[in-house]
Structure formats: structure tokens, C-alpha cells
Amino acid sequence: MKKTLFVCCALAWALCAQAQWKPAGDKIKTQWAEQVNPESVLPEYPRPQLERADWMNLNGEWEYAIQPAGQAEPGQFQGNILVPFAVESSLSGVQKEVGDKNELWYKRTFTVPSKWKGKDIVLNFGAVDWKAEVFVNDVLIGSHKGGYTPFSFNITPYLQGSGAQKLVVRVWDPSDKGYQPRGKQTSNPEGIWYTPVTGIWQTVWLEPVAENHITSIKAIPNVDAKVMNVTVGTSACASSIVEVKLLDKGQVVATGKGIQGQEIRLGVNNPTLWSPSNPYLYDMQVTLLQKGKAVDQVKSYTAFRKISVGKDKSGIKRMYLNDKPLFQYGPLDQGWWPDGLYTAPTDEALLFDIKKTKDWGFNMIRKHVKVEPARWYYHCDKEGILVWQDMPSGDMGNSWAPHTYNGGTDKQRTPESVANYYQEWKEIMDLCMSNPSVVVWVPFNEAWGQFDTEKVVAWTEAYDPSRLVNPASGGNHRPCGDILDLHNYPGPDMFLSDPQRVNVLGEYGGIGLPLENHLWWNKRNWGYIQFKDGEAVTAEYVKYANELKDFVKRGFSAAVYTQTTDVEGEVNGLMTYDRKVIKINEAKVKAANEAVIQSLSE
């Protein structure tokens, strides 16, 4: 009887907890919002390129409080928040703004599984915007600045016994009042600027590890040499040995050993090359050895892919993929959600935009002034979509200069702002370094916070020589990097060119179609031009695509259409913000896109 009563009480408590959480506000939502279960939020392992079998997801309901900055931990919290959805989002269950004068506090407890006894415990955060300070059992154990990248702490020394452990996170985010990278977040959303995002917005998890364990994997292919160069970082001393195995459909095709931090070369005869038409991935198994014994082992994956610049038969500089010219064509992808803001409601939702992009005949995505969770890049790797990765803009100003080749005066930043830019850009590059889908780095967009362009580009090229660098997409143009990138709305135009670099149309289009019952707000919605139905939008899209084909022959090697979805006040998406309506005739758009891509090889 007592056992039955206990089970009933536990079930009632679980149902009550689920009933307590609900999305906040009355704005539009995606279909996946209804699938969010507070007992199992984003349950997928969050780091596919360094995967451990044993882990504990800490997503779910935490306590939260918003209070003036500088105060001690509140004695009483204000309610529950669903992690990892930003506090301003509907799916957080809170939907409150924090602002630069306040701090956001999180609190929860966890219990370390008994089977993890004897292991070190690592606490991982996918991303927290912007400054996070972490307390375990009332001890401040560390902090991290940077809104877009993962960080971890070994919390073993701070655990107390085998019972409940207290975890508190304090967050401060000045949004557009600070110098930090923040993309399109603003305290006054309108037009092309969106709602602020504060706090935990990616998965939080625990995992048991050996005292000496693997912390990072960098895999960079050398297609010409038929070699995969792998560098493994560990927490171990230099005498520990790492072993890397490359597997093709379960069969080991290459093995190498070395000490941590040293590049290991794995040779493969006739490797299968990765491309949008054949996104072929190899599995990796990485093992840390001490005295010949395996103390840590993780799963990973990689691919053989080469991105380069060469001249076509007409002497025009083009982007080459695996030594063949390929016109790269895709949408500007903001990566925002009406219910989760920076965070997709589910992994299925995260994949949806990528699959639709492929369905429409595109082969590339420009990830615009935002960084995604590691699983988004994993999906791009698996689905076969090229990615241009923007640095989220910050410390912004209107330092526009005339569209002249050498013109322009860069905005001045403080030394603190400059140092923070490089630190965050490095961490973003580290996050995406081993993803074969990522082929272009974009340090600046449209002069938004642009500074020291030649220095930033040189640093980026030196840090990752394996990819191309697009110095400033539509920005103050400088004679550096691999690409000259023009923006022109609404239709394509080539008003400037550089015979020494690849020329691309980094943004165009912006064809607007506001659809009732799928709008974020009722005030003015933004679009460069607006139509009244999908048929007219499709016709205009196809017209621009046909015009673009002529510019391809003149020298454009890539183009980016604005944009994948509506976002808040922007109604120029190929689908609505809630992803419930595709605005265009998909078959006609796909045919037009494939014709543009094919025009480079004609």
C-alpha cells in the first residue's frame, strides 16, 4: 500500500510539474512548440564531434530571479524557467527582459549517479549569453564571457558527499549597451533588429570522465596528400598518448598515435570526398592511453573536403570544391525562432530549416551574425550543405564609407573590446573548425563594428589556413582576404569587381509577403519590396534568379538570397517565422536555383 501510494504521489508530482510550465505570451509559435516536454528538453547529445556514452542532461525547469546587478544571491527566487530557452523567449515560460542594469540568476540541484563514483565530473554549457559565473555548493568555481560558444568546468573538488548538489549560475548581458558580439539583438526591436537574448540558451549537461581525459578534437583534411590531420587536446600531461582510428562503414582504414596537442596524420588511399551531392562522413574513435591502458574514449567523425580558389577557363577567380568550380548559392539564415528566439524548440526543428534549404535546390547557407549549437553544424555535415559562418556583430557603429576599393575609415574600439572580439572569434572558429560543411569565415558584416580589417583577416587566415576568408560581407571593402562581397537590394547587381579575388553577391532579394495570422507583431513589417501572394513572390524570385545567371558569367561565384524565414518584423522569408507556410512555389524555385548553380559550368 505504501509503495503504491509513493508511486501515485511521484506520478502526481511529475504531472503537476509538467502542468506548471507552459509557454509564455500569445505570439505565434512553431508546430514544434507543442512537442516541448519539460521533463525531456532537447534530449539529444549536444556535442556530436566529441561524444561520450555516459552523460546527464540538466535541461528542464530551474529556478530563476532577475535583480539589480551587483547584489548577492537572492534569498528567494521568483519562479521557474525552462532551460535552455532564453528568459525573453516564450518557451522559457517567463518571457521577461533583463537589461544591462540587472542580472539573471539560475538555481537547481542535481545528484551524481552512484555508478559515476571514482570519476571526475565535468559540467558543460553549450552557450550562455553573455557573462556567466558558476557556483557549485556556494563556491564560485569559474566564469566565461562569450554568448555563442561552449565552456566546461571540472566540478569534482566542489561536490559534497553523495546527496543533492546545488548549482547556481549568474548572468549579465548588456545586449546593445555593451561592446560584446550580439548580432541582431537590441533593446528596442524594430525593422531588422530583434528581441534581446539573455542567459542559458543551449544544453547544460554533466559527464563522468577520468582525471586525465580528452577535451578537444581538431580534424583538418588535406585532400591533395590524402591525409586527415587530427590534433587531440587533453587534460593530461604531455606523456599521455592519444590513439586515433578512422573508420569507413565500421572498418578501420587508418590509425595514428601521438601525444596530446601534436598533429597526427592519418593516410587514406582514395578517400571518398564530401560534397553537397555526396556528404560522405568517416567515423573516428579517439582514445587516451596511459601506460598502455585506455583511460578515456570518445566518438567523433570527419570528412575529406577541399575548399580553394582557382581560375576558370575564362581566367575568372572562382571558389573550387574538391578542385572543381562550384557556384555556391544559398539563403541568408538568421537562425531565430518565434517561440525559442535563439533556440530551436526541438532537434527536429533545428534540422527542418536545413532540409528545406536543400529541398529548394540551394547548396549553401550563410549563417548570419549568429552562431548555432554544435548539432546544427552536424546536421549540415550530414545533409550536405556548405556554410559561411559570420562573426556576430557587436560594438557597432555607422562607419560607412563610399563603395570604393580602398576607401573607408574603420571604427575605433577600446583595447578591451578588441581583445574580446579576438577571444570570441577564436572560440567560434574552434567550435566549427572540424565541420566539413563550414567553408568560409566572415569576420564582419556591412561595416557593423568593422575595425582593423586587414589585421583581423590576417589573423583569421593564420589561425585557419584551410578555409576561405570573406573580409566584410557588404562592408567597407579592403584589398585583403579571398573574397569581395557586395550587397544589393532588391535585385542582383555587380557594381564593383576585383580580378584578384573571388567576387560574390553576399545579399540580395528581400522579397516581402506578410501573411495574416503568421506575423510577429501588428506594427510595420519590413521588406525591401512587398507582394500580396506567393505566386507574385515566386515570379519575382525567378526573375532575379534569371538575372543572376548573367552575373555569374560576368564573374559572380556565389550569391546569398535574403532570407530563409521571416524574423520578427522582417517578412521577407521564403517561409513564415512560424515555419507553417511556405510562401513560394517550391518546384519553380528549386528549378531556378539549380539553373543558377549549373550556369557556372555551362
Side-chain angles (χ1 to χ4, degrees):
M1 179 66 181
K2 287 183 179 180
K3 184 177 180 180
T4 303
L5 181 62
F6 174 79
V7 171
C8 289
C9 289
L11 181 60
W13 181 88
L15 291 172
C16 181
Q18 185 165 343
Q20 285 177 348
W21 171 84
K22 64 178 182 179
D26 57 0
K27 291 184 180 293
I28 56 172
K29 295 173 179 61
T30 66
Q31 61 178 326
W32 300 282
E34 298 176 359
Q35 300 172 14
V36 174
N37 176 3
E39 302 300 316
S40 181
V41 184
L42 296 174
E44 299 79 13
Y45 189 82
R47 192 183 55 203
Q49 288 193 318
L50 200 164
E51 182 175 351
R52 290 190 170 89
D54 208 1
W55 66 294
M56 178 191 292
N57 196 330
L58 295 185
N59 292 344
E61 290 192 84
W62 296 40
E63 293 181 79
Y64 87 94
I66 299 171
Q67 64 178 21
Q71 294 188 3
E73 179 184 328
Q76 187 168 355
F77 283 64
Q78 296 164 357
N80 285 359
I81 183 171
L82 192 63
V83 169
F85 299 107
V87 67
E88 295 91 349
S89 74
S90 171
L91 289 179
S92 71
V94 179
Q95 204 173 59
K96 294 179 182 177
E97 291 196 12
V98 180
D100 64 313
K101 306 299 183 186
N102 295 318
E103 291 171 333
L104 172 63
W105 292 77
Y106 294 84
K107 184 175 74 170
R108 68 159 291 159
T109 60
F110 63 88
T111 302
V112 177
S114 58
K115 65 179 180 178
W116 292 3
K117 186 176 181 180
K119 292 281 191 177
D120 279 15
I121 308 301
V122 173
L123 172 64
N124 302 288
F125 293 85
V128 181
D129 195 2
W130 172 73
K131 179 184 178 182
E133 296 172 290
V134 180
F135 302 77
V136 174
N137 292 322
D138 299 318
V139 176
L140 176 59
I141 66 165
S143 64
H144 178 263
K145 290 181 179 178
Y148 298 95
T149 50
F151 57 97
S152 303
F153 301 107
N154 188 327
I155 62 173
T156 312
Y158 317 106
L159 299 176
Q160 297 177 353
S162 59
Q165 313 291 328
K166 179 182 175 184
L167 173 59
V168 170
V169 181
R170 179 172 65 207
V171 180
W172 177 68
D173 180 19
S175 190
D176 56 339
K177 303 297 191 298
Y179 58 74
Q180 85 290 353
R182 44 96 175 180
K184 287 199 169 186
Q185 301 177 55
T186 179
S187 54
N188 183 30
E190 61 179 353
I192 65 169
W193 306 105
Y194 316 144
T195 303
V197 171
T198 303
I200 300 170
W201 67 275
Q202 290 187 28
T203 293
V204 185
W205 78 102
L206 295 170
E207 54 191 346
V209 298
E211 180 181 0
N212 296 326
H213 56 273
I214 296 161
T215 56
S216 65
I217 300 170
K218 182 173 80 169
I220 303 293
N222 184 333
V223 169
D224 294 338
K226 300 178 181 179
V227 164
M228 183 64 63
N229 298 307
V230 182
T231 306
V232 180
T234 75
S235 65
C237 60
S239 62
S240 298
I241 295 172
V242 292
E243 180 183 56
V244 182
K245 293 181 179 179
L246 202 61
L247 297 92
D248 185 358
K249 297 179 180 177
Q251 299 297 311
V252 177
V253 294
T255 303
K257 291 183 179 180
I259 63 172
Q260 70 96 24
Q262 298 298 311
E263 186 177 87
I264 301 169
R265 297 177 184 175
L266 302 175
V268 178
N269 292 325
N270 301 314
T272 302
L273 301 184
W274 183 99
S275 69
S277 60
N278 183 36
Y280 197 87
L281 301 176
Y282 288 79
D283 291 322
M284 279 200 302
Q285 184 183 88
V286 182
T287 307
L288 178 60
L289 303 167
Q290 285 187 310
K291 298 180 180 180
K293 180 182 177 182
V295 296
D296 192 23
Q297 188 173 87
V298 299
K299 292 196 305 181
S300 187
Y301 70 90
T302 188
F304 284 88
R305 181 270 299 135
K306 178 183 178 182
I307 183 72
S308 59
V309 172
K311 289 184 177 180
D312 66 10
K313 57 188 178 183
S314 301
I316 297 173
K317 286 280 185 81
R318 302 289 189 184
M319 285 188 287
Y320 279 60
L321 183 70
N322 301 329
D323 294 320
K324 296 178 181 178
L326 176 68
F327 189 86
Q328 297 188 23
Y329 193 21
L332 193 75
D333 191 313
Q334 313 269 10
W336 283 71
W337 300 83
D339 30 38
L341 298 182
Y342 258 17
T343 311
T346 67
D347 195 62
E348 180 187 0
L350 192 68
L351 175 60
F352 178 81
D353 287 2
I354 298 168
K355 292 183 77 72
K356 292 310 298 183
T357 300
K358 287 279 287 189
D359 290 346
W360 294 331
F362 292 116
N363 61 13
M364 174 263 279
I365 289 171
R366 179 181 167 205
K367 180 51 63 177
H368 189 42
V369 294
K370 190 206 173 192
V371 180
E372 293 290 354
R375 289 194 64 85
W376 186 86
Y377 301 96
Y378 164 71
H379 289 316
C380 290
D381 294 340
K382 286 200 70 176
E383 295 299 319
I385 196 90
L386 301 166
V387 175
W388 294 11
Q389 180 59 55
D390 284 14
M391 171 63 169
S393 47
D395 205 357
M396 289 156 57
N398 295 314
S399 300
W400 276 107
H403 285 291
T404 55
Y405 185 75
N406 291 308
T409 302
D410 286 336
K411 182 181 185 294
Q412 297 298 310
R413 291 187 180 220
T414 65
E416 184 181 27
S417 174
V418 170
N420 184 78
Y421 174 95
Y422 280 107
Q423 178 61 34
E424 293 205 42
W425 186 219
K426 175 185 178 298
E427 290 185 10
I428 290 166
M429 292 178 68
D430 286 341
L431 171 67
C432 306
M433 187 69 75
S434 299
N435 291 101
S437 56
V438 178
V439 293
V440 175
W441 300 118
V442 188
F444 299 111
N445 175 74
E446 288 191 351
W448 296 352
Q450 187 176 347
F451 75 102
D452 291 348
T453 310
E454 290 87 351
K455 291 180 182 179
V456 171
V457 168
W459 184 92
T460 304
E461 291 172 331
Y463 193 62
D464 180 18
S466 73
R467 290 178 174 84
L468 307 184
V469 179
N470 181 354
S473 184
N476 291 331
H477 303 299
R478 295 286 201 273
C480 59
D482 301 294
I483 295 169
L484 174 67
D485 182 320
L486 308 180
H487 292 182
N488 197 76
Y489 286 99
D493 191 16
M494 193 175 184
F495 52 83
L496 191 65
S497 64
D498 181 355
Q500 303 304 316
R501 292 186 290 174
V502 174
N503 294 269
V504 307
L505 182 61
E507 290 182 31
Y508 83 99
I511 302 171
L513 175 60
L515 291 178
E516 191 175 353
N517 299 320
H518 300 278
L519 299 176
W520 178 252
W521 52 34
N522 294 322
K523 55 184 177 179
R524 182 182 180 274
N525 290 288
W526 170 264
Y528 286 92
I529 51 174
Q530 293 201 18
F531 292 86
K532 294 184 178 180
D533 58 62
E535 192 174 312
V537 170
T538 301
E540 192 75 358
Y541 183 95
V542 172
K543 183 185 82 171
Y544 290 162
N546 289 332
E547 293 173 3
L548 184 57
K549 286 191 290 186
D550 293 331
F551 288 112
V552 173
K553 294 181 175 61
R554 289 172 53 184
F556 273 151
S557 296
V560 177
Y561 176 82
T562 302
Q563 60 187 344
T564 309
T565 73
D566 294 349
V567 186
E568 298 203 357
E570 294 189 44
V571 293
N572 48 17
L574 296 170
M575 55 184 165
T576 55
Y577 195 18
D578 57 15
R579 276 75 166 174
K580 291 180 178 178
V581 179
I582 309 297
K583 298 184 186 181
I584 38 90
N585 182 309
E586 295 182 276
K588 289 183 179 179
V589 166
K590 181 178 182 180
N593 289 344
E594 290 177 342
V596 171
I597 293 170
Q598 186 63 30
S599 67
L600 180 56
S601 57
E602 291 176 352

